[in-house]
């Protein structure tokens, strides 16, 4: 697929899904912000791209909630960066977010199925 086609196929994140995606990414291990964004982009086959203007405010919010913790470290390229890690409270929140997400997917699927039936 051509890069411009991938860009056009990107999906705007529904409100509230960014936190869930970040928490899920951090289940894979401790990461710095760029690594989180890259992981989400890679796992979504470049459909989801988290911009830094959204990522870092979300990480700070998650940290204030106690769902992630951070510490300074050094990246593979020898750059100083803040590394984030999911907490026990964050893992519990992730389970709740995933359940809410599944209900949302089912509800949207029901509406879309009803729309097709009505045609």
């Amino acid at each position: 697929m051509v890069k411009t086609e991938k860009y056009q196929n990107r999906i705007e994140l529904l409100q509230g899904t960014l936190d869930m995606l970040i928490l899920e990414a951090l289940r894979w291990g401790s990461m710095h912000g760029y690594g989180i964004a890259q992981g989400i982009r890679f796992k979504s086959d470049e459909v989801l791209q988290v911009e830094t203007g959204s990522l870092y405010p979300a990480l700070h919010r998650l940290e204030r909630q106690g769902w992630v913790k951070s510490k300074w470290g050094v990246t593979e390229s020898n750059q100083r960066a803040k590394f984030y890690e999911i907490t026990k409270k964050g893992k519990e929140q992730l389970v709740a977010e995933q359940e809410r997400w599944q209900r949302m997917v089912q509800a949207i699927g029901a509406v879309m199925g009803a729309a097709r039936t009505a045609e």
Side-chain angles (χ1 to χ4, degrees), residues 32-113:
H32 50 76
Y34 180 75
I36 294 168
Q38 291 298 97
I40 292 170
R41 193 183 79 173
F42 176 76
K43 290 279 188 175
S44 72
D45 195 25
E46 298 191 24
V47 173
L48 302 175
Q49 183 165 333
V50 181
E51 302 296 333
T52 57
S54 299
L55 177 65
Y56 289 100
L59 284 167
H60 296 146
R61 183 177 60 255
L62 295 175
E63 195 166 17
R64 283 192 306 274
Q65 295 286 343
W67 300 340
V68 301
K69 60 184 179 180
S70 65
K71 63 181 176 185
W72 287 97
V74 178
T75 66
E76 311 79 40
S77 59
N78 209 27
Q79 299 288 323
R80 189 167 186 259
K82 199 179 243 191
F83 285 77
Y84 296 88
E85 185 177 315
I86 191 169
T87 63
K88 183 178 187 283
K89 191 174 173 184
K91 289 176 185 175
E92 292 167 357
Q93 180 62 27
L94 177 58
V95 168
E97 294 285 337
Q98 288 170 325
E99 289 170 357
R100 203 169 9 261
W101 176 255
Q102 287 304 317
R103 285 194 308 272
M104 176 73 76
V105 167
Q106 289 171 349
I108 292 171
V111 170
M112 297 307 293

Side-chain angles (χ1 to χ4, degrees), residues 8-23:
Q8 291 170 343
N9 289 330
R10 286 198 184 124
I11 300 168
E12 292 293 322
L13 291 180
L14 291 173
Q15 187 174 359
T17 58
L18 180 57
D19 292 356
M20 179 180 63
L21 292 171
I22 292 170
L23 292 172

